[in-house]
Amino acid sequence: MTTQVIPNIAVQEIYSGNKFTGVASDGTPTEETLFRGRIQKWLGGSAGGEYAAPDLVGMNVEQVWWSLDCTTTPNVDIYIVDDDDVEYLIHSANAASGTYFQSNHGFLVPPSFKVRVKSDQNIDAAVSVVAEDTGVTGDGATASYDLQLDYGRVDPGTVSIVAGSVAFTDPGLDGVLVGAGGGGGAGTIDYTSGEVTITLNTPSDFSGTNALATYDYNLMGRVGLVINQGWGQPTPSQVGLIGNENLPPTMQRS
């Protein structure tokens, strides 16, 4: 039997050029094992701001927090939304970062209701990095190298890694690097972390110089909830990760 459970911390991120409009996140969900998987993150989205309470159990929200990288100070509104999609404003602030909490053990969000966070300003534009020295030097004999960019959240399609006479770019916007010039090569980039690998077809193409990286990286906005526990859960130890989780019979809820 499976059951629907909730996290202790739920975080949504959005990147440059976007704002929280109070819709479900389209970021990539990651499940972390810290504290038995009680942290859920949605990374790198272009939309977000809505958190749905689990069916049957609801949730007790201790805190709502936000951090938005905006030049113009945003207006941030927090709502509880009922099952008819009617919004009830519970907090407003003119601040790029802040926290809303109720000292009396948080606020309850009934099953099928939602918490919705909206901002009226976009996250600032992506920042350009030109000819960043990666500190990786070609020796003329090694074919493959690992590089770490100074920034993650790399904007796909903006990457150029120059290693000697070979320039690696990501024309497919898919993390695959294609090397042109000299004998060419191939590689990969993790846009989120900024980790890069390159392989030269002709190792002597990269000798005595450092690899230089040019790319854009996204600024970020975050909205998060700190959740005590769900309705009908007698102890916090029963709180798990959003989604379906196999639990012992004594911990299952129908």
Side-chain angles (χ1 to χ4, degrees):
M1 178 178 176
T2 59
T3 186
Q4 188 177 30
V5 289
I6 62 176
N8 290 114
I9 300 174
V11 181
Q12 296 180 6
E13 295 180 355
I14 58 172
Y15 283 175
S16 293
N18 303 293
K19 62 185 176 183
F20 286 103
T21 58
V23 299
S25 175
D26 64 353
T28 302
T30 64
E31 298 181 0
E32 301 189 2
T33 59
L34 186 65
F35 298 119
R36 189 176 155 266
R38 292 180 183 171
I39 298 176
Q40 174 101 35
K41 295 181 181 179
W42 290 265
L43 304 179
S46 60
E50 182 178 274
Y51 299 83
D55 295 339
L56 304 179
V57 296
M59 60 185 177
N60 184 345
V61 178
E62 178 180 307
Q63 182 181 123
V64 182
W65 57 267
W66 67 94
S67 178
L68 309 176
D69 206 336
C70 303
T71 298
T72 302
T73 304
N75 293 306
V76 176
D77 296 323
I78 302 172
Y79 302 86
I80 290 180
V81 184
D82 68 17
D83 49 6
D84 291 322
D85 206 43
V86 177
E87 296 179 338
Y88 301 91
L89 182 67
I90 59 173
H91 184 70
S92 291
N94 179 243
S97 62
T99 301
Y100 169 69
F101 64 93
Q102 292 186 353
S103 58
N104 200 17
H105 305 294
F107 60 92
L108 298 175
V109 183
S112 77
F113 281 42
K114 301 169 184 175
V115 174
R116 192 171 283 170
V117 182
K118 298 181 181 182
S119 169
D120 65 350
Q121 298 295 325
N122 288 345
I123 304 301
D124 286 347
V127 178
S128 296
V129 177
V130 179
E132 172 187 293
D133 189 341
T134 66
V136 175
T137 305
D139 60 13
T142 302
S144 296
Y145 297 85
D146 294 327
L147 296 72
Q148 176 62 59
L149 304 183
D150 286 347
Y151 300 94
R153 306 190 301 275
V154 176
D155 201 9
T158 67
V159 178
S160 174
I161 309 291
V162 177
S165 60
V166 182
F168 295 84
T169 59
D170 61 331
L173 285 68
D174 55 2
V176 175
L177 299 178
V178 178
T188 61
I189 178 170
D190 184 319
Y191 293 121
T192 301
S193 67
E195 296 176 350
V196 176
T197 62
I198 57 173
T199 299
L200 296 98
N201 294 333
T202 307
S204 60
D205 287 339
F206 183 30
S207 178
T209 61
N210 286 3
L212 303 179
T214 296
Y215 58 97
D216 292 351
Y217 71 91
N218 287 282
L219 299 178
M220 183 173 58
R222 283 179 172 160
V223 168
L225 302 188
V226 178
I227 302 167
N228 279 330
Q229 59 188 101
W231 290 17
Q233 293 176 296
T235 65
S237 66
Q238 295 187 17
V239 180
L241 183 71
I242 282 180
N244 289 325
E245 181 179 288
N246 291 314
L247 296 176
T250 57
M251 297 173 65
Q252 291 174 355
R253 298 177 299 279
S254 59

